[in-house]
Amino acid sequence: MTYLNRRQFLYSSAALAALSAISPHQASALTNADLGEPFDFTYEALVERAREAAAKPYVAPYRPMPEVVQEIDYDAHGKLKFKTDFAPFSGSGGAYPATFFHLGQFFGKAVAMHVVVNGVARRIEYSPELFKMPQDSPAHRLPADSGFAGFRLQEWHGADDWRTQDWVAFLGASYFRAIGASGQYGLSARGAVINAAVPDMVEEFPDFTEFYIDEAEDPENPVVICALLSGPSISGAFRFSIRRGLERTKGVVMDVESQLFLREDVERLGLMPLTSMFWYGEYGRERMRDWRPEVHDSDGFAMWTANGERLWRPLNNPPYATISAFSDENPRGFGLLQRDRNFDHYQDGVMYDRRPSLWVEPLAPLGRGYVELLEIPTDDEIHDNIGLFWVPEDPALKGAEYKLHYRLHWLDNEPYPAENIAQTVGTRMGRGGEPGKPRPDNLFKFVIDFDRPSVMTQIPYGIFPEVIVSTSAGRVIRTFAEPVPNGNIWRATIDLEIMPDEIAEMRAYLELDGKPLTETWLYQFDSRNVLASG
């Protein structure tokens, strides 16, 4: 899996009658010359188009003048700015203006953009006049039908900073992302994952090829966006109901409906997928590669199982691509989180401490399957190397259909924290053994910090919880638990003896009187990775 740097409708009389609803104040600061002919639009019709497309040969998205688009590199693309005076829904009748991304070296496929008002859609026609474009930009040489690469939604048009502040963006293949409660972008979500990390197979990246933006008239109401998905092995339709609200510290919540149809057999079908970056944390860091203490968009995978267990798995930057599967039936939720919110742990002006966590909440039963965590080696922060997605238990065969309904929470923390269960707030590791004595090569120490004062401070003085630990490889030599002097943390320490060629799947939590006090800490430990980074 490679996570790198990232109409046919009949023109009806109903559409004609609704033209008056698309006023300059409501729909757009664009003129009629910038908009295509109107047509009726519904999500249900988009689903039927996706279903019909799955029975036909795949047609790749239009790529206008690829040799010219390749000249629009990162720097040149950054200078192509959509003119906010033309932003749809920036008038008195709209809440969140839409602006658009230009094609570029990494985004060379044309994507059709539409505005929708009262069930009537009109395509936004590309023009270089819609962009601030330097005189020497290669973009001047592109044809008139080039289209756009993606779009973003700006803050409420009543805010002073709406022209410079966006809060959700769809750009590249089927990737999209939103800012969290701290106002920062970070990890992304995707429409679907096709054959990620399958030996001897190349991963497919299906594209959102059409968007339909039905703007909210009130900032407290959701923005509704529909999208058509297309790839060699899949087609699909999506409906996003995205809520921002005036209280920006609440983050962004998306309700997603989708129907997916397989054109071909798929070896690994990943649904509701997330993608992030983890270079190194407070454990296993690549010494002398970088000056910062930690570099990551997410530091762990969390899961709330059907039976109510809370799982936490610190992320790895492994020496080779690794898939970890967590079996369940109708899980309550899962996500990639950024729990470490201390700036001193990053010391970086790009604000890793403010990156959002992303939680997937199924709103309809998923049945049996696996939450799969993909970790890929990386030597820099510019590469997304973490994937997380749901894989149904049944084989993904040609002709199969999938109907999904789920909610994405872009927040600082998971939306439904467990009551009376402490969370993992730190994982550290090093050589095992005692100070002043030789440190055996095959003995490693794991130190896990759990924090939730309302739970842990209730433990009577002199009483120590038990560390419940298991491992798939090696042998646990010693465990103990102790309070950290600041009074808010209990620490579990585990010494593991393991052979150099073994990989241990570890599992641990604190227990008192037969009841768990903490979530379950999971970790995949490969001593070769530690030796390579140390």
Side-chain angles (χ1 to χ4, degrees):
M1 185 175 192
T2 306
Y3 280 98
L4 299 176
N5 303 16
R6 325 191 176 34
R7 296 140 336 239
Q8 295 183 348
F9 283 92
L10 292 176
Y11 182 20
S12 70
S13 58
L16 279 169
L19 264 174
S20 60
I22 306 183
S23 70
H25 292 294
Q26 280 188 310
S28 181
L30 303 170
T31 67
N32 280 333
D34 299 313
L35 297 171
E37 294 295 323
F39 56 91
D40 291 337
F41 174 79
T42 64
Y43 171 64
E44 291 72 21
L46 196 67
V47 169
E48 288 309 308
R49 285 183 58 199
R51 189 192 308 273
E52 293 169 3
K56 300 175 182 178
Y58 169 68
V59 178
Y62 171 47
R63 288 179 176 268
M65 298 186 69
E67 68 282 1
V68 174
V69 172
Q70 280 300 305
E71 297 179 35
I72 307 175
D73 59 15
Y74 180 84
D75 291 333
H77 190 259
K79 296 175 183 176
L80 300 174
K81 304 291 187 182
F82 187 82
K83 297 176 182 177
T84 53
D85 287 345
F86 293 112
F89 306 109
S90 60
S92 60
Y96 297 108
T99 60
F100 301 91
F101 292 102
H102 201 281
L103 297 179
Q105 187 177 81
F106 300 108
F107 316 105
K109 301 173 185 177
V111 182
M113 300 292 172
H114 304 78
V115 291
V116 180
V117 175
N118 296 333
V120 176
R122 297 184 74 176
R123 179 168 176 158
I124 302 172
E125 304 294 350
Y126 168 82
S127 169
E129 299 302 318
L130 299 177
F131 290 86
K132 296 176 182 178
M133 191 176 292
Q135 288 298 319
D136 60 350
S137 175
H140 285 289
R141 309 204 308 270
L142 290 175
D145 63 348
S146 289
F148 304 93
F151 75 97
R152 51 190 166 190
L153 297 178
Q154 307 297 126
E155 290 290 7
W156 179 47
H157 79 85
D160 293 337
D161 59 353
W162 76 262
R163 295 178 185 271
T164 59
Q165 301 296 320
D166 55 300
W167 56 277
V168 66
F170 288 75
L171 178 64
S174 65
Y175 287 87
F176 59 97
R177 59 182 184 160
I179 63 175
S182 297
Q184 190 78 22
Y185 281 117
L187 76 172
S188 302
R190 297 171 65 181
V193 163
I194 306 292
N195 293 333
V198 176
D200 302 321
M201 296 189 72
V202 177
E203 182 182 358
E204 285 182 26
F205 290 86
D207 299 283
F208 285 137
T209 57
E210 298 178 18
F211 284 105
Y212 297 83
I213 308 170
D214 192 342
E215 184 56 285
E217 295 185 7
D218 187 299
E220 296 291 353
N221 291 337
V223 181
V224 176
I225 295 165
C226 294
L228 187 66
L229 181 80
S230 183
S233 299
I234 195 171
S235 68
F238 285 74
R239 185 182 187 272
F240 301 89
S241 181
I242 309 176
R243 189 175 296 278
R244 174 69 170 132
L246 292 176
E247 290 190 51
R248 298 183 183 180
T249 56
K250 289 187 175 181
V252 174
V253 177
M254 301 179 178
D255 282 6
V256 185
E257 299 172 68
S258 67
Q259 287 191 235
L260 303 172
F261 309 93
L262 294 188
R263 283 190 170 101
E264 304 291 344
D265 295 351
V266 174
E267 185 67 24
R268 174 174 286 128
L269 174 64
L271 304 177
M272 305 176 291
L274 317 182
T275 178
S276 190
M277 180 275 294
F278 179 86
W279 189 7
Y280 58 84
E282 71 267 21
Y283 53 91
R285 71 157 295 177
E286 297 186 48
R287 294 174 175 84
M288 303 306 293
R289 289 287 188 94
D290 196 89
W291 62 272
R292 295 163 292 183
E294 302 182 38
V295 179
H296 49 76
D297 283 336
S298 305
D299 55 10
F301 150 67
M303 183 174 174
W304 187 8
T305 67
N307 67 8
E309 186 178 16
R310 303 288 185 137
L311 307 179
W312 173 255
R313 161 75 145 69
L315 296 177
N316 274 324
N317 179 6
Y320 43 80
T322 303
I323 284 278
S324 301
F326 304 85
S327 176
D328 204 4
E329 183 173 3
N330 299 322
R332 303 185 191 188
F334 56 87
L336 292 173
L337 309 185
Q338 183 78 317
R339 280 188 175 171
D340 192 337
R341 297 289 170 187
N342 190 331
F343 173 81
D344 292 342
H345 294 178
Y346 304 95
Q347 292 291 332
D348 195 320
V350 300
M351 304 301 178
Y352 283 115
D353 56 303
R354 299 183 185 178
R355 302 298 169 100
S357 297
L358 181 49
W359 184 260
V360 180
E361 176 190 0
L363 299 179
L366 294 175
R368 293 199 58 82
Y370 309 87
V371 178
E372 295 198 357
L373 173 65
L374 170 61
E375 296 164 304
I376 300 172
T378 186
D379 60 0
D380 205 328
E381 65 200 284
I382 65 172
H383 305 302
D384 280 346
N385 65 316
I386 303 296
L388 185 71
F389 36 81
W390 173 256
V391 178
E393 182 177 67
D394 293 336
L397 303 179
K398 179 179 180 179
E401 301 183 7
Y402 301 87
K403 187 174 184 179
L404 300 170
H405 190 195
Y406 56 100
R407 181 169 293 155
L408 297 176
H409 300 262
W410 306 77
L411 307 170
D412 276 353
N413 302 300
E414 59 211 89
Y416 309 111
E419 296 181 2
N420 299 319
I421 291 291
Q423 291 186 336
T424 310
V425 295
T427 298
R428 295 172 181 83
M429 64 190 69
R431 293 292 187 187
E434 299 299 326
K437 297 181 180 180
R439 303 293 179 98
D441 288 341
N442 64 334
L443 189 62
F444 296 90
K445 187 181 297 292
F446 299 84
V447 178
I448 310 151
D449 289 346
F450 297 102
D451 187 12
R452 180 67 71 79
S454 62
V455 175
M456 307 308 266
T457 57
Q458 297 173 11
I459 300 175
Y461 179 78
I463 301 299
F464 293 85
E466 183 179 359
V467 181
I468 307 300
V469 59
S470 62
T471 178
S472 65
R475 184 168 64 100
V476 175
I477 301 298
R478 184 178 69 141
T479 68
F480 66 92
E482 61 181 346
V484 176
N486 69 7
N488 292 332
I489 290 175
W490 271 85
R491 176 169 293 165
T493 299
I494 302 166
D495 280 356
L496 177 72
E497 184 182 70
I498 186 171
M499 299 302 293
D501 59 347
E502 290 183 312
I503 299 174
E505 296 287 351
M506 303 178 66
R507 180 183 182 95
Y509 60 93
L510 292 184
E511 178 184 278
L512 185 64
D513 296 331
K515 297 181 180 180
L517 295 174
T518 70
E519 63 188 1
T520 301
W521 173 88
L522 307 175
Y523 194 69
Q524 183 184 82
F525 178 68
D526 185 341
S527 61
R528 293 170 296 181
N529 190 23
V530 176
L531 291 170
S533 63

